[in-house]
Amino acid sequence: MNTSYFAPRAPAPDSQDAKSPVLSKPLWQLLNLTAKSVHEVMLGRSATAVLLGLDLSFKPGVQSLLFLSLRQWGLAKAIRASLVAKKPTPQIDHLLCVCLALMCDENDLPYEPHTLVNQAVQAAKANVNTAGQSAMLNAVLRRFLRERQEILDAVSEQAEAKYKHPLWWIKRLQIDHPNDWAHILEVAQTPAVMTLRVNEAQQTRDAYALELASVGLQAKPMGDSALVLDQPVGVQRLPGFEAGAVSVQDANAQRAAPLLLEAFDELRLARLLALQGQASQAGGPEGPKPMASESPKALPLFSILDACAAPGGKTAHLLELLSPKHKGRPLALRASKDWQVEVHAVELEPKRAQKVVESLDRGRLQARVWVGDAAKSEAWTQLSGAAGLAPPMSYQAILLDAPCSASGIVRRHPDIRWLRRADDIARLFEVQSRLLKHLWAQLAPAGVLLYCTCSVFKDEGERQINSFLKHNSDASKLPSPGHLIPQKTANDPTLLDNQASDQDGFYYALLQKSPSP
């Protein structure tokens, strides 16, 4: 963080409110750090990055206040505009709006309002950049408490105040989802629950649920292998987490690996392997590039690429499902004496690629992890896996979890709505188009590509795929989920909620390549 944003003075005496969450630091300090964090978000830094820069003793409290503030930010700005004729300087403005955000919902107040006002004034006085405006802060906050309902009524029909998202975001949802847009915005205000993906190559979901119960954790089943915890916990409390028995992954994200692998039924798999064998014998460009370790009698190689793979949850899920020890429903593509399956993962940034390696190492899983642009395989560098081997020239299956606005996961990351700009969507559309074009060229004849984004915007889903199909006559769309709308769950709101959602917004499209040009 930019330490010059707030210049601390000597701390004032601590004050604690019995109604507030248990905090290890004085509230005035947390308010100052929250205002500073909001400032960083408005400059374009993600809340995740901002929180990583905090002292660990401050992080839980600041995260709680930051997430609450960002969810109410549209309303807080409207209230401030109605109370202050001239917009204050950023330092005092962000502190003021944070306090208004924490005070605006009478049914969900984290602190007693008068305690919050007193601590806000103390926070302002404790910093040289805001001390001179502490009286103004005090007057504005106290006026809001006196005239709360009148002020809320006055701003209630302003779109950003009512729906707590940027106006461009609201309008785009109204166009894309005319029947569901209000529900999508409502769900975005609901903190998400914590969802687990059980590694059924180790044990069944029911068996793991019993393990959770043995350590006092209750969970409900969802989907094929997911469990939803009644209350979020740190991963260190999950039995077998370090041994890869379970991962944190939202329920809709867990659809990716099964969707791709189940596309290869016995008939489609046999046809693809036959085409691959013909191409290899003919030495055609579609055949996989020979590996250094392969002999002339090597089994046919079925290669799967997870493109844009970080942090590695989908790569790990692919490998778990492919394991012959998996206890779930059968897959035609599981390990066989007739072919060998190999999984590759590529990520653009080295640090993010390392996250994929760490995710696989935790589950004792093997894949070849590469660093580089997914659209430029000739420039990839290997990070893990068998050394000295080049990536295949083509893959039989590709999972493209494309970069997107992340508009489907705002429950977990409420900063996203304020980080994105309207023109980001057109830029991301071009990035997704470029990746689709180049990866399609790397897909073997009769192969399948699964395109997905964690977005509810149709430019990043339905319209992107319709455009691709229009310009690629060798592509056909298989039955696919399409746009999945985020759903509200009956969980109690919690401050510390930066966990995976049970039902985020997603888009999925399965595309098959023609057997021949």
Side-chain angles (χ1 to χ4, degrees), residues 173-320:
L173 284 179
Q174 289 173 332
I175 293 170
D176 287 354
H177 302 283
N179 297 321
D180 297 309
W181 66 271
H183 173 72
I184 293 171
L185 292 169
E186 178 187 357
V187 170
Q189 296 301 103
T190 308
V193 295
M194 185 173 180
T195 306
L196 308 178
R197 187 190 77 243
V198 178
N199 180 0
E200 294 194 298
Q202 293 189 18
Q203 62 184 319
T204 65
R205 179 178 63 183
D206 291 346
Y208 188 77
L210 291 175
E211 279 200 44
L212 288 173
S214 72
V215 295
L217 300 177
Q218 302 302 315
K220 299 178 180 65
M222 174 178 281
D224 293 324
S225 57
L227 289 168
V228 179
L229 288 174
D230 286 357
Q231 292 294 332
V233 298
V235 294
Q236 68 276 6
R237 288 195 59 193
L238 300 175
F241 178 81
E242 292 302 329
V246 68
S247 299
V248 179
Q249 187 181 42
D250 87 10
N252 278 342
Q254 291 187 36
R255 295 187 182 213
L259 274 170
L260 181 62
L261 298 183
E262 289 171 3
F264 294 95
D265 56 26
E266 292 183 8
L267 181 61
R268 188 174 288 119
L269 179 60
R271 184 184 301 122
L272 191 149
L273 289 170
L275 286 169
Q276 179 191 349
Q278 295 169 13
S280 298
Q281 291 173 10
E286 297 84 2
K289 192 171 184 178
M291 301 291 179
S293 60
E294 288 184 336
S295 67
K297 294 183 179 180
L299 293 174
L301 178 65
F302 191 102
S303 294
I304 302 172
L305 174 65
D306 183 1
C308 311
K314 294 180 179 68
T315 313
H317 198 189
L318 284 167
L319 290 161
E320 291 167 8

Side-chain angles (χ1 to χ4, degrees), residues 41-175:
V41 169
M42 297 308 160
L43 289 177
R45 292 188 68 200
S46 73
T48 300
V50 171
L51 291 167
L52 282 174
L54 289 178
D55 183 292
L56 289 177
S57 63
F58 284 102
K59 183 178 176 180
V62 173
Q63 177 178 306
S64 300
L65 300 183
L66 178 61
F67 279 24
L68 280 170
S69 299
L70 292 171
R71 284 197 176 94
Q72 299 289 347
W73 200 250
L75 177 57
K77 288 194 303 176
I79 295 171
R80 185 260 295 142
S82 72
L83 292 171
V84 183
K86 183 179 178 181
K87 185 177 179 180
T89 60
Q91 292 93 333
I92 196 70
D93 186 40
H94 289 139
L95 179 58
L96 172 59
C97 286
V98 163
C99 295
L100 290 171
L102 299 178
M103 294 163 59
C104 63
D105 185 354
E106 271 191 308
N107 298 317
D108 188 23
L109 294 172
Y111 306 98
E112 291 293 346
H114 290 287
T115 298
L116 184 61
V117 173
N118 291 335
Q119 288 289 287
V121 173
Q122 191 167 326
K125 290 179 177 179
N127 292 278
V128 295
N129 289 326
T130 57
Q133 296 170 291
S134 60
M136 181 275 289
L137 177 78
N138 182 50
V140 172
L141 292 177
R142 291 189 182 279
R143 181 187 167 192
F144 174 68
L145 291 182
R146 292 194 306 271
E147 305 174 22
R148 176 199 296 271
Q149 196 56 54
E150 180 182 344
I151 293 168
L152 290 175
D153 290 344
V155 302
S156 63
E157 293 308 310
Q158 297 178 29
E160 287 197 10
K162 184 175 183 178
Y163 297 111
K164 294 150 188 176
H165 285 71
L167 185 58
W168 71 266
W169 187 300
I170 298 167
K171 289 181 176 179
R172 183 175 286 272
L173 284 179
Q174 289 173 332
I175 293 170

